[in-house]
Amino acid sequence: MPENAEKVVALRPSYFDHLLTIGVKPAGVTAQDQYGGDYIPYLEDQLEGAEIVGSSSEVNLEKILEINPDVILVDDYTASEVYDDLEKIAPTIVLGASSDEERNDPDFWQQDLMKIAKIFDKEDVAEEKISELEEKVASANETISDMENNKLAFLRIREKIIQIYPETTHPMVSMLYNDLGFEPSALTDPEERGDLSMEVIPEMGADHIFLQVDSSGGPENYSSIQDSNLWKDLDAVENENVLKTDFWIYKAWGAIGRTQMVEEAKEYVNQ
C-alpha cells in the first residue's frame, strides 16, 4: 500500500459510505443502474464531483486510469472479473465477506469500515462513528421494544412480485429485529427471503409494514397492490402504519446509511 493515499476509487456503494464516514471523498465511484446510472441517491450530495467509472457489472477501466488513483477498493464479485486489470492501474484491495458465516454476520460491515479506515490512518474516527451509531440504536430500541403492538413485515415491491425479507441474513433486517426491537411478522422467515401472493398477504399479522419500492416496475406494481381490498383491509394499512423506506436495503451496509435508518424508524414510531 502507498503511504499517504489520497485518491481512491471505490467500486461498491457500501465502500462509498465507509469512506465518507471517515471524511474521505472518493475520486471515482460506480453508478447504480437501477437509479438511472447515477450516484446512489442517499449519498448523492456527498458524492457530487466524484467521477463515475461505470457500474459494478461493467467497470470502465479507462476512466479509472484517467483518475490515476492511489488505491482501488473492490468486492470479490467485481474482482473476479477485472482484478488483474485493476491491479495494473493501482494497488487493489478486495473487501467483503469471504464465507457464509461472514455474509450472515450483521456486524460484518464494521470490519470493512475498519479496514478502509486503517488505509487512511483514521481508525479512531471510524470507532467514534460506530459508537455514535450504537448510542442512537440503543435510544431507539428503548422506544420500539416497549411498544405493545410491534410486529413488523419488511416488504420489497418489485416489478412483478412482492418479497418479504427474513429476520436474519441481511444487515438491514438484523438491525430492525435484533437491534431496534421490532418483532417479526407471522410470514417473516428466520433466514429465507420469500415471494408473497396477494392471497397470503392477510396472513402476515403485521402491526407495521415497512417497504421498499424498486424504481423499475415497482411503482406500477405497488399502485396495483394498493387498489386491492386484501391490502386495504390489513390492520397496518387501516391504521396507517406503513412506512415507504428510502433505499434501506443499501443503507444498511454503512454507518451513514444505518444512522439515517435509525432516525427514520424513530421518527416513524414517534408520530
Side-chain angles (χ1 to χ4, degrees):
M1 282 300 304
E3 294 184 3
N4 303 316
E6 293 182 1
K7 288 193 294 184
V8 56
V9 167
L11 303 180
R12 182 182 173 93
S14 57
Y15 307 158
F16 316 161
D17 193 309
H18 297 332
L19 288 164
L20 294 168
T21 293
I22 59 172
V24 176
K25 181 176 179 178
V29 298
T30 45
Q32 305 309 303
D33 292 337
Q34 62 269 55
Y35 304 124
D38 208 338
Y39 303 129
I40 191 162
Y42 85 95
L43 296 174
E44 184 175 5
D45 292 344
Q46 297 180 70
L47 291 173
E48 185 176 358
E51 190 76 31
I52 291 179
V53 293
S55 65
S56 297
S57 59
E58 192 171 351
V59 176
N60 189 324
L61 297 170
E62 291 184 1
K63 285 282 188 182
I64 297 175
L65 187 60
E66 289 173 5
I67 294 172
N68 190 28
D70 300 311
V71 62
I72 300 170
L73 306 178
V74 63
D75 62 286
D76 57 353
Y77 172 78
T78 304
S80 67
E81 301 292 329
V82 293
Y83 179 84
D84 290 342
D85 294 320
L86 295 173
E87 184 66 19
K88 292 174 184 177
I89 298 173
T92 300
I93 299 177
V94 181
L95 299 166
S98 58
S99 67
D100 287 339
E101 182 180 2
E102 289 181 342
R103 274 185 283 273
N104 293 335
D105 180 354
D107 295 323
F108 180 80
W109 64 272
Q110 295 183 19
Q111 295 186 39
D112 276 349
L113 171 58
M114 295 307 299
K115 288 176 183 177
I116 291 173
K118 186 175 182 180
I119 297 171
F120 298 92
D121 195 24
K122 292 195 174 189
E123 293 104 313
D124 55 338
V125 178
E127 290 172 352
E128 180 182 349
K129 296 298 184 182
I130 291 172
S131 295
E132 290 175 0
L133 173 59
E134 289 174 344
E135 290 178 6
K136 289 180 181 290
V137 168
S139 174
N141 178 274
E142 289 182 5
T143 302
I144 295 169
S145 60
D146 286 342
M147 294 192 310
E148 289 187 9
N149 302 310
N150 67 352
K151 289 192 179 296
L152 171 70
F154 189 96
L155 306 180
R156 184 172 185 178
I157 311 300
R158 313 194 80 160
E159 183 176 5
K160 296 181 179 179
I161 58 174
I162 305 169
Q163 293 185 318
I164 183 166
Y165 271 68
E167 187 179 351
T168 60
T169 69
H170 190 288
M172 175 191 65
V173 293
S174 293
M175 169 174 274
L176 289 171
Y177 299 119
N178 295 338
D179 299 337
L180 294 183
F182 284 105
E183 294 291 332
S185 75
L187 295 183
T188 299
D189 190 85
E191 297 181 349
E192 299 293 333
R193 181 171 53 177
D195 295 348
L196 300 181
S197 66
M198 287 302 299
E199 287 71 26
V200 302
I201 284 283
E203 299 175 17
M204 285 193 302
D207 304 306
H208 308 273
I209 296 173
F210 290 0
L211 56 86
Q212 178 167 313
V213 180
D214 281 13
S215 58
S216 177
E220 293 81 2
N221 191 15
Y222 186 41
S223 178
S224 176
I225 291 167
Q226 289 176 295
D227 288 337
S228 168
N229 288 329
L230 292 172
W231 179 263
K232 293 177 181 178
D233 291 342
L234 295 176
D235 288 343
V237 176
E238 288 186 341
N239 295 327
E240 298 183 351
N241 290 335
V242 178
L243 175 64
K244 189 176 176 182
T245 65
D246 181 16
F247 313 108
W248 279 20
I249 293 168
Y250 292 88
K251 286 182 177 181
W253 295 94
I256 295 173
R258 290 172 76 86
T259 297
Q260 291 183 16
M261 288 171 59
V262 174
E263 291 173 347
E264 290 168 29
K266 193 169 183 180
E267 181 181 355
Y268 165 79
V269 298
N270 286 331
Q271 291 182 76

